[in-house]
Amino acid sequence: MERSLEQAAMRRVAWRLIPFICLLYFIAFIDRVNIGFAALTMNKDLGFSASVFGFGAGVFFFGYFLFEVPSNIILDRVGARLWIARVMITWGLISGAFAFIQGEMSFYGLRFLLGAAEAGFFPGIILYLGYWFPIRYRAAVVSLFMAAAPVSVLLGSPVSSALLGMEGIWGLHGWQWMFLIEAVPAVILGFVVLVYLTDRPETATWLADDQRAWLVAEMEAERAGRREQARHNLLSGLTDLRVLALALVYFGTSAGLYTLGIWAPQIIKGLGLSTMTVGLLNAVPPAIAVVAMILWARHSDRTGERTWHVVIACLAASLGLMLAGAAASVVAVIAALSLVNVGISAAKPPLWAMPTLFLSGPAAAVGIATINAIGNLGGFVGPWMIGWIKDRTGSFAGGLMFVAGLLLLSAILTLVVARAGRRTGPARVALR
């Protein structure tokens, strides 16, 4: 009876929350990385070098870094419904404003503001899922949520390519139309969030009474069970060495993810292909990654193992970047980028299953935001170094090797942290 009640409750919660949250992240990720497709024509129109574009694309993460922890603290206090709505509306408006950039400084400024506006969305959703799903479901649930990122590339690539074809309509460039049109869904969905999301299980009137009572009791029991070892004040979320270590692991995966999101279209374009062909080919690697991510996360949940699921995935992504740097044909490049996509996507769900095992309450909000804020600085370093090295060498190879090295360090650091966790006791629960 208890098992059937659990299954019914989890099925209801999953169907109510996951598709909608995936849609939000889908739109967020498009607005975050569509700059990579805009660059196919925008860089020439505005006279941007690879270094200027790489730096501007990465400046997003400085705004993200500065505002992420405060944003997640506010979300924990005022509720996900109100705060996520605010995030989406502001980032949609700023994303649309990219249609009017005139040069380097306006490009840098808007990328910074976009990062500041979106800060708190991803870690806020991770925290929010922790309110609704017991830990044994969390990696699989996070994988479904994070699948929206590769899906956004899968579906967004041909759409962005098509929008670039609107060149000259009403006197606007194709990339201007792309920014304007792709910004609209974020603003609309921001208002939908206000009426659709429920902050906590206790107020979920869409659950049956017995389902709601079971879920509230289950989540409270989980919180009570880890209070002896969990740290839950604000300072511990900032100073826990496990948090800082996971942030560095995430740094490498973020460098890889945004290298793909921002530079992959230009890497493929360099093979002499049309813009529409680039859009179609750029959709192939994330299509493979979606399936791999979900299967890998389920295996991690089923076995209860996290460390090697992160390590193996990071090593695969590192190898893929090395191969991409040496590839010379369309098939070889797409195959290498597919391996990178699979590795980076598969590493994230087991990695994000770790923090809420040793943090709770305000510390969980701060800890998750800290991991994401520090880790996402890899989204600045990776794309910027790709552009800087390309301007000096004329090739993407050196930059890809650099990012491959960051992912190799992520794999090594995960093993080091796991070994230290086994020696210190409670940490092994989070990093086994």
Side-chain angles (χ1 to χ4, degrees):
M1 181 64 178
E2 171 100 7
R3 180 63 178 166
S4 62
L5 177 60
E6 174 181 344
Q7 291 175 338
M10 287 293 90
R11 189 181 304 112
R12 181 75 177 113
V13 171
W15 278 109
R16 169 80 182 193
L17 298 181
I18 298 303
F20 184 68
I21 287 173
C22 286
L23 176 62
L24 300 184
Y25 192 40
F26 174 89
I27 298 300
F29 204 80
I30 285 180
D31 286 345
R32 188 182 296 187
V33 301
N34 59 7
I35 194 74
F37 269 93
L40 295 176
T41 56
M42 180 187 73
N43 286 2
K44 182 179 179 181
D45 291 337
L46 298 178
F48 290 169
S49 67
S51 296
V52 167
F53 173 73
F55 181 83
V59 161
F60 171 95
F61 295 99
F62 281 115
Y64 210 99
F65 174 78
L66 291 174
F67 291 94
E68 186 149 2
V69 172
S71 184
N72 230 32
I73 293 173
I74 295 172
L75 181 146
D76 189 54
R77 291 179 178 174
V78 306
R81 182 181 61 86
L82 181 62
W83 197 245
I84 290 174
R86 192 286 304 165
V87 168
M88 296 198 64
I89 292 168
T90 54
W91 103 48
L93 293 173
I94 294 170
S95 184
F98 273 81
F100 307 106
I101 58 176
Q102 300 295 317
E104 293 179 21
M105 297 312 297
S106 57
F107 178 46
Y108 296 161
L110 281 176
R111 285 295 288 178
F112 178 87
L113 290 175
L114 186 65
E118 194 179 330
F121 174 77
F122 179 84
I125 293 295
I126 296 295
L127 180 66
Y128 182 69
L129 293 174
Y131 298 156
W132 291 89
F133 293 93
I135 189 63
R136 58 187 176 276
Y137 294 95
R138 212 158 293 160
V141 167
V142 170
S143 74
L144 291 173
F145 162 57
M146 295 191 67
V151 169
S152 72
V153 179
L154 167 64
L155 300 180
S157 293
V159 171
S160 295
S161 296
L163 292 175
L164 290 178
M166 296 178 68
E167 181 73 25
I169 297 177
W170 292 356
L172 296 178
H173 292 293
W175 56 268
Q176 291 176 299
W177 279 113
M178 187 199 73
F179 282 126
L180 287 170
I181 292 172
E182 292 185 348
V184 172
V187 177
I188 294 174
L189 284 170
F191 289 102
V192 175
V193 166
L194 288 172
V195 298
Y196 187 82
L197 279 191
T198 305
D199 285 328
R200 299 272 187 165
E202 289 83 350
T203 57
T205 56
W206 41 267
L207 280 173
D209 291 344
D210 57 343
Q211 294 173 352
R212 183 169 58 253
W214 173 85
L215 182 56
V216 170
E218 180 73 12
M219 299 310 297
E220 177 55 35
E222 186 176 285
R223 286 189 293 269
R226 67 176 183 253
R227 277 180 188 138
E228 290 300 317
Q229 67 182 49
R231 301 164 74 180
H232 44 78
N233 60 72
L234 289 173
L235 185 61
S236 67
L238 288 169
T239 60
D240 193 305
L241 291 179
R242 292 167 294 186
V243 169
L244 299 178
L246 291 176
L248 293 177
V249 174
Y250 195 52
F251 184 96
T253 65
S254 294
L257 176 65
Y258 292 105
T259 290
L260 288 175
I262 292 170
W263 285 107
Q266 293 186 65
I267 292 172
I268 299 171
K269 180 73 171 178
L271 298 171
L273 305 172
S274 69
T275 298
M276 182 53 70
T277 302
V278 170
L280 295 174
L281 289 176
N282 196 55
V284 173
I288 299 171
V290 169
V291 178
M293 178 200 300
I294 293 172
L295 294 176
W296 196 244
R298 288 180 177 175
H299 187 267
S300 177
D301 273 349
R302 187 167 60 251
T303 61
E305 202 285 325
R306 308 300 185 194
T307 300
W308 283 104
H309 281 80
V310 176
V311 170
I312 293 171
C314 287
L315 291 176
S318 179
L319 175 61
L321 285 166
M322 294 179 192
L323 294 174
S329 69
V330 173
V331 173
V333 168
I334 298 303
L337 293 178
S338 295
L339 183 58
V340 181
N341 268 272
V342 167
I344 290 172
S345 298
K348 290 178 179 289
L351 177 61
W352 281 115
M354 296 176 180
T356 52
L357 281 167
F358 61 90
L359 295 171
S360 67
V366 174
I368 291 169
T370 300
I371 292 169
N372 203 51
I374 296 175
N376 264 324
L377 288 178
F380 167 74
V381 173
W384 175 51
M385 288 301 295
I386 294 282
W388 187 83
I389 292 173
K390 185 179 187 298
D391 271 348
R392 282 150 184 79
T393 66
S395 169
F396 286 107
L400 293 173
M401 293 296 179
F402 172 82
V403 179
L406 293 179
L407 279 157
L408 180 60
L409 287 175
S410 291
I412 294 170
L413 183 58
T414 302
L415 288 173
V416 171
V417 173
R419 185 171 183 177
R422 285 193 293 271
R423 290 199 302 268
T424 56
R428 71 180 182 274
V429 175
L431 301 171
R432 66 183 183 276

